Amino acid sequence: MTSTTTTRTATDEPGRNFRPLAGVLTASVVSVTGTRVSAIALPWFVLATTGSATMTGLVAFAEMAPYVAVKALTGPLVDRLGPRTVSWTTDAVSAVAAGLIPLLHAQGLLPFWVLLVMVAVIGAMRGPGDLAKSVMVPEAADRARVPMERATGLSGVAERLASTVGPAVGGGLVALVGPLAGLAVNAGTFALGSLIIAVALPRGMGRSAVPAAAANPAAEEQPAGYWRMFREGFTFLRSEPLLLTVTVMVGITNLIDAGFTTVLVPVWARESGNGPAAIGLMAAVMGATAVVGSLIAAAVASRLPRRTVFFAGFLLCGVPRFLVLALGAPMWLVITVFAIGGFGAGFLNPILGAVLFERVPRHLLGRVQALSGSLAWAGIPLGGLVAGAAVAMVGLIPSLIVSGALYFATTTLAGLRPEWREMDRLRGHVGGAGEAGSAGGAAAEPEPAHSA
């Protein structure tokens, strides 16, 4: 790893330009809204047409396995082609695949295996598309001259806002019109997100930060090969003990959360008689309070101890959700617990995003984030399969209790490790500051995948 890194900051620009940051955040809101609508509509569609929790979990696997695998491998391509190009093209392909599902079903041409193929295509495109949007945040913050922690906080607010609107729209659509309407809305949001990125962001966005060693014309004519770029990202990733600890912890919680969202909650809604509207209400309330948490994080997180806030957030958003459903609590208590959990979850992604953007050199950002994120998301494709099999074997209540216990044990034990003290070490530095000589020349740390 070279000891010099050239990073363009906002001070290099003649004035503040908020358009790229607004474009990235708006596209993220649109994309996540559609995904959250689909997260209710698609499982309910499978449950309604097959009646099988196992097949519902299989559909979730078909989407998330390609998501993780393709995302892990496309980091070098995002760094080379530019995240703007990757984002709008993958969203366009996703729009076509998502739109074919209701069209084929209406014509009676949607056997289960075709549904799996369409969902797999969407997952394969979503991986690099989500990665590309995230990679553009630090440069957009530079152009707007916005502090990095505030930019990641605003990104968290955008995601949580979409997580509020999406489930409310999805639950209402499924309850009033049917799940196919939700799938059609998902296709429309992919198309709109593609258009926003193509129009609002300048060409070359995300490609301005390159290694100083590659700044000469000869280096530009002979760019590093794909596998060399991939290896550089992997070498950087594996050298960080904090990253490895966080990735394992978040990977386990993501697996549990995936089973909870795609199987356990829909099965609970069906067995309790609350229906899809309850799923939308729970997710919308959790998303609304997460917006509040993210807004507070954007305003004051730079002055708070990250480790304490991080694990407090996990404590609030973790095991209580599982227990309140397992105990058959009344709906008002379920909503209250989800509201508190959402507030805690709102602090997580801004902290993780700030740690990433402070520590990873910009020219490695795509490939490092792709690898770390994919490792932390590796269990998500299995979450629905495991939860579906558990419900089939032992029933809903034991599955909820065991899942909640595993969630609590994972976050508690991981929090005892000493690596977490490193979360505040490079607070406020530009990406790759450690590699460039700041903070004692310490190596930078890439990001674990966002958990919620």
Side-chain angles (χ1 to χ4, degrees), residues 7-10 21 24 131-148 151-152 205-206 353 356-358 360 362 365 369 430-431:
T7 303
R8 185 173 70 179
T9 65
L21 183 59
V24 170
L131 171 65
K133 293 180 183 64
S134 179
V135 167
M136 288 187 284
V137 169
E139 184 182 335
D142 287 348
R143 290 172 182 263
R145 297 186 182 179
V146 173
M148 195 59 65
T152 58
M205 182 79 176
L356 165 72
F357 297 139
E358 287 168 355
V360 180
R362 293 289 173 85
L365 191 56
Q369 188 176 356
V430 177

Side-chain angles (χ1 to χ4, degrees), residues 181-246:
L183 298 177
V185 167
N186 187 33
T189 58
F190 276 127
L192 180 58
S194 175
L195 181 63
I196 291 171
I197 292 295
V199 172
L201 274 66
R203 294 181 182 274
M205 182 79 176
R207 302 183 66 183
S208 59
V210 296
N216 61 78
E220 290 182 356
E221 292 174 2
Q222 296 180 347
Y226 171 87
W227 289 112
R228 178 181 171 185
M229 295 177 70
F230 187 90
R231 187 167 57 251
E232 287 175 349
F234 182 76
T235 300
F236 186 89
L237 180 65
R238 69 178 183 179
S239 66
E240 302 298 331
L242 173 61
L243 173 66
L244 296 177
T245 301
V246 176

Side-chain angles (χ1 to χ4, degrees), residues 360-436:
V360 180
R362 293 289 173 85
H363 70 284
L364 293 175
L365 191 56
R367 68 201 88 164
V368 171
Q369 188 176 356
L371 287 169
S372 60
S374 297
L375 288 173
W377 281 49
I380 290 181
L382 301 175
L385 292 177
V386 173
V391 170
M393 292 175 60
V394 301
L396 175 64
I397 304 303
S399 299
L400 285 166
I401 293 174
V402 172
S403 297
L406 290 174
Y407 204 106
F408 179 77
T410 299
T411 54
T412 301
L413 294 176
L416 301 177
R417 296 187 61 85
E419 293 94 326
W420 293 97
R421 291 193 293 267
E422 297 291 306
M423 292 189 83
D424 290 285
R425 183 163 55 84
L426 291 182
R427 185 191 291 264
H429 286 287
V430 177
E435 191 172 300

Side-chain angles (χ1 to χ4, degrees), residues 45 48-49 99-111 114-115 179-180 183:
F45 173 72
T49 55
L100 284 174
I101 295 176
L103 288 177
L104 292 175
H105 180 76
Q107 299 298 320
L109 300 174
L110 190 69
V114 174
L115 175 63
L180 291 179
L183 298 177

Side-chain angles (χ1 to χ4, degrees), residues 1-6 211-213 361 363 432-438 441:
M1 196 69 67
T2 61
S3 60
T4 57
T5 302
T6 299
H363 70 284
E435 191 172 300
S438 300

